[in-house]
Amino acid sequence: MKPSPTPVRHWILAVTTLSAFLMYIDRACLAWMLDSQSFKDEIHLTNDQASHLKSAFFWAYALAQVPAGWLAERFGKRTLMTVLIVLWSAFTALSGFANGVAMLFIARIGCGIAEAGAYPISGSLLSRWAHINWRGFASGVVSLGGRLGFVLAPLITVKVILLFGSWRWAGWAYGLSGLLVAWLFWMAFRETPEEHPGSNEAERALLAEGRTAAPAAPADTKAGGPGYRFPLKAVLRDRSLWMMCFYQMLTNFGWAFVINSMSTYLRDVRHLSEDMNGYISTLTLFIGMFGLLLGGLLTDWLTRKLGLRLGRLLPLSVTRFLSAGMCLACLWADSPWLLAVCLGLMVFSTDSALPAVWAWAQDVGGRNVAPIFGWANMWGNFGAAIQAATAGWLLKTFDKNGDQQELFIACALAFTLAGILSFGINADRKIAEA
């Protein structure tokens, strides 16, 4: 009787998901910290300073994507991911000690740099630790962990602030939690199934099914070797990759409304209390996160039925047009609860394509999954940074009646353009190896 595969791959998926959960709580908590009354009583920021502070994270996060992907291949994912979890947790804790805008900027930039490697590393390790027929679903589960952290961040952050009477406790509590998550990741993860002492031959054979080995590389240039180089020439020549870069940039411009502007919109336009703001924001994101699981199952099913290119392309394209429609629907949402449903469906459709984005990087990346993922994700986060930096300008220039509808229109346009660009993305062709 053949032994059953060991469940190590499930444990690695679980701890990677937990890391994503922590990362998004740390990433999202600032907006609700800045909007709390206890923060405003201690530190006085102008609207421009608050916008630049939110934008600073995304610029740091975006620019550190490719270096983080290179470091992961150069020094190993287990070591680097553990270090990064400790670092972003430390910077989140540092924000709780801030006495002015300068220290807040240092904390957010440091957090952005440290978090930059998390998703490229996660995407790369899933290419080894998830069965090829379940890449989309596994990617959706990890992304769901991030979104769940984002969903609970408003509610948990507001409750922590109200419980302890100070915004500072949110940063401290999240920072301490990161030490436990870093330890769990270090204990659970190994670079490959062959290196893991808890993985048996049956599990290794299962994970090897359907994979084509990456072309052999010289000993000093293999992933993890001292001479590893980012395949810059191949990246610059690949049209499909550039379409994905701009696709992610426009998508994140639209999606970033919920992390950069939603809390302020609910307070200033809808005139909701802090507590109600937290509930509405949580409901919005709770509706949206189910798109990750559905999207993962959908892209895997479509890939089996229609092939790799259409299996990734259809979720990428259709969901962007749906997201644009839901942004416009928000303009006619009269009640806060109806608005939460419309925003939730916008996030739902946006997140439904995220597993296809992750799986695309695993499909085309070869032995360069982490840096390729990081390159595309870098451009995506430029979009979020641009949204944070330009939201205030859009309102100052075009919003004459204070309803902030211009933000929804700009997001709808960005989603529509992303949907058009998606037709140039081809997951069926690997990016040339370095």
Side-chain angles (χ1 to χ4, degrees):
M1 183 176 177
K2 292 180 65 176
S4 299
T6 45
V8 172
R9 64 196 184 281
H10 302 314
W11 287 108
I12 287 179
L13 179 61
V15 76
T16 306
T17 304
L18 179 62
S19 302
F21 174 82
L22 173 72
M23 180 178 71
Y24 261 82
I25 281 190
D26 289 358
R27 179 184 306 190
C29 67
L30 181 72
W32 283 270
M33 291 164 68
L34 296 185
D35 278 339
S36 69
Q37 191 57 49
S38 64
F39 179 90
K40 293 175 182 177
D41 290 341
E42 292 187 40
I43 299 178
H44 305 289
L45 298 182
T46 66
N47 290 335
D48 284 344
Q49 285 176 325
S51 295
H52 292 318
L53 190 59
K54 295 173 185 176
S55 179
F57 170 90
F58 288 107
W59 285 113
Y61 182 80
L63 292 171
Q65 290 284 314
V66 174
W70 176 82
L71 287 171
E73 300 299 346
R74 171 65 177 79
F75 295 105
K77 300 169 187 65
R78 184 189 185 208
T79 298
L80 184 62
M81 185 69 168
T82 304
V83 170
L84 292 179
I85 295 171
V86 171
L87 284 176
W88 86 55
S89 300
F91 280 112
T92 301
L94 178 65
S95 66
F97 292 98
N99 56 7
V101 67
M103 190 176 291
L104 284 171
F105 266 105
I106 292 171
R108 291 311 286 174
I109 290 171
C111 189
I113 292 172
E115 288 191 3
Y119 272 1
I121 291 172
S122 297
S124 182
L125 70 87
L126 288 179
S127 70
R128 300 175 183 179
W129 281 102
H131 191 279
I132 193 169
N133 288 337
W134 293 96
R135 277 179 174 174
F137 179 74
S139 299
V141 170
V142 175
S143 299
L144 179 63
R147 288 295 188 268
L148 186 59
F150 193 36
V151 166
L152 295 178
L155 193 60
I156 295 176
T157 303
V158 169
K159 292 299 182 184
V160 169
I161 292 171
L162 293 176
L163 178 64
F164 292 99
S166 173
W167 62 278
R168 297 182 183 277
W169 278 95
W172 298 338
Y174 298 149
L176 287 173
S177 300
L179 299 180
L180 173 61
V181 175
W183 178 78
L184 289 173
F185 187 89
W186 176 261
M187 296 300 293
F189 183 61
R190 298 295 186 276
E191 297 293 322
T192 65
E194 290 72 24
E195 294 178 32
H196 204 295
S199 181
N200 65 7
E201 287 301 324
E203 184 174 34
R204 293 167 188 168
L206 177 69
L207 293 172
E209 288 178 3
R211 284 173 165 80
T212 47
D220 66 341
T221 61
K222 286 182 180 178
Y228 177 79
R229 294 181 179 88
F230 176 65
L232 182 61
K233 289 183 180 178
V235 164
L236 294 177
R237 290 195 301 261
D238 196 279
R239 176 178 175 273
S240 176
L241 175 56
W242 280 111
M243 292 298 101
M244 175 59 81
C245 291
F246 292 120
Y247 171 91
Q248 289 202 46
M249 183 171 70
L250 289 163
T251 292
N252 275 12
F253 182 96
W255 177 86
F257 171 86
V258 298
I259 192 171
N260 292 329
S261 304
M262 182 169 64
S263 177
T264 302
Y265 172 79
L266 293 176
R267 183 195 67 215
D268 294 347
V269 178
R270 299 288 177 154
H271 307 295
L272 302 183
S273 66
E274 273 190 38
D275 213 25
M276 190 65 171
N277 191 328
Y279 281 118
I280 294 296
S281 300
T282 298
L283 176 60
T284 295
L285 299 167
F286 181 77
I287 295 171
M289 71 181 186
F290 290 102
L292 292 163
L293 291 180
L294 176 63
L297 293 170
L298 180 63
T299 190
D300 287 336
W301 181 79
L302 288 172
T303 298
R304 291 193 293 269
K305 296 293 183 181
L306 302 176
L308 197 57
R309 182 170 187 180
L310 287 177
R312 305 305 184 211
L313 173 60
L314 289 175
L316 293 175
S317 60
V318 174
T319 57
R320 295 309 83 139
F321 299 118
L322 291 174
S323 296
M326 295 317 302
C327 281
L328 296 177
C330 291
L331 301 179
W332 290 276
D334 293 330
S335 74
W337 299 109
L338 180 58
L339 176 69
V341 171
C342 291
L343 283 171
L345 291 175
M346 181 271 283
V347 178
F348 177 91
S349 57
T350 303
D351 284 353
S352 293
L354 194 55
V357 172
W358 280 53
W360 164 88
Q362 296 163 45
D363 297 333
V364 306
R367 67 172 180 267
N368 300 298
V369 173
I372 293 297
F373 189 112
W375 179 268
N377 206 32
M378 173 184 72
W379 288 88
N381 282 278
F382 285 158
I386 291 169
Q387 195 280 339
T390 60
W393 174 82
L394 282 170
L395 296 178
K396 281 182 183 178
T397 306
F398 300 106
D399 185 24
K400 305 304 181 184
N401 59 2
D403 61 7
Q404 298 190 14
Q405 291 190 354
E406 289 74 13
L407 293 179
F408 293 98
I409 295 171
C411 292
L413 289 173
F415 282 129
T416 301
L417 290 173
I420 294 170
L421 288 177
S422 69
F423 294 108
I425 297 171
N426 185 3
D428 207 19
R429 188 180 68 243
K430 286 190 181 295
I431 296 171
E433 296 288 339

